[in-house]
Amino acid sequence: ESFQQDLETWLGAPPLFYPNWEIFPHENKLPHADVISERLQTLVSLSNSSKSQIIVTNVVALLQKTFSPGDLKTRTRELKRGEKIAPLDLIEFLEEQGYEPEAQVSQKGEIALRGGIVDIFPPTSPWPVRLEFFGDELESLREFDPLTQISRGEISEITIPPAGELGILKRASGILPEENK
């Protein structure tokens, strides 16, 4: 992290940061939300860019299994205003990507469904997003404050990556049983 800050000072722009999970693979807990967020931001940035980029990481992070570029692409969803999608289908897709259903979204990796409104807090986003549906049409996307639940402003689109690597990868490899999704 300190090397990344030094590079940012010299380059004038922040390099990508790819931290390790900071937990052992055999532990039955997930990495901290900030670690998941930083790893996913780097993976999404790499998959969306054709130019070379500077990445700060360590050997442990490089040895930890992660999504392949193709797998990341199939697990990532882009939503735009006016798009047609059933809210229940979206919730089902997001749960498969590791998002946790909650009554109210307050932390990264959570989703909530209330009528025609879906709240989601992508790990790569600084703010959660409220998706308002009219039937199956996505009518509005707004960032909101997770503490007050008050809208911060409208956006036209959002990219939603998976909520995290570890739980999905453990299920895919058979380490976690299906009922512990």
Side-chain angles (χ1 to χ4, degrees):
E1 289 174 350
S2 115
F3 182 63
Q4 181 200 18
Q5 291 169 353
D6 291 345
L7 275 177
E8 186 175 344
T9 300
W10 287 99
L11 298 174
L16 298 173
F17 184 54
Y18 192 72
N20 65 342
W21 289 330
E22 298 178 354
I23 62 166
F24 294 110
H26 65 276
E27 291 181 315
N28 199 15
K29 65 180 185 177
L30 295 175
H32 190 273
D34 292 339
V35 171
I36 293 170
S37 175
E38 288 173 325
R39 286 175 64 95
L40 285 171
Q41 282 175 329
T42 299
L43 292 172
V44 168
S45 181
L46 288 172
S47 71
N48 290 338
S49 178
S50 59
K51 63 179 185 167
S52 50
Q53 298 179 19
I54 296 175
I55 303 167
V56 177
T57 189
N58 60 38
V59 174
V60 174
L62 290 175
L63 292 174
Q64 291 169 332
K65 186 173 179 173
T66 190
F67 299 117
S68 68
D71 197 22
L72 182 65
K73 198 170 223 61
T74 61
R75 293 180 177 279
T76 300
R77 188 78 191 249
E78 289 186 18
L79 297 174
K80 297 177 181 165
R81 189 175 324 128
E83 190 171 324
K84 298 254 187 210
I85 182 172
L88 290 175
D89 291 345
L90 178 62
I91 291 291
E92 184 178 324
F93 172 79
L94 294 172
E95 285 180 3
E96 289 171 4
Q97 306 319 312
Y99 286 86
E100 292 293 324
E102 297 290 337
Q104 181 174 314
V105 169
S106 60
Q107 296 180 7
K108 292 183 178 198
E110 294 179 345
I111 54 174
L113 174 65
R114 292 181 314 283
I117 296 174
V118 175
D119 289 345
I120 180 169
F121 202 154
T124 55
S125 176
W127 299 104
V129 176
R130 180 161 290 142
L131 310 174
E132 296 177 14
F133 290 86
F134 183 74
D136 288 349
E137 182 178 342
L138 182 53
E139 197 171 64
S140 164
L141 294 91
R142 298 180 181 277
E143 292 180 329
F144 67 94
D145 186 320
L147 296 176
T148 63
Q149 299 289 305
I150 296 174
S151 177
R152 295 181 40 85
E154 195 158 341
I155 58 175
S156 60
E157 62 183 50
I158 185 168
T159 300
I160 306 170
E165 307 158 278
L166 197 55
I168 293 170
L169 294 171
K170 280 184 176 181
R171 274 195 305 279
S173 66
I175 295 172
L176 280 180
E178 283 297 312
E179 67 268 4
N180 289 341
K181 283 185 179 180

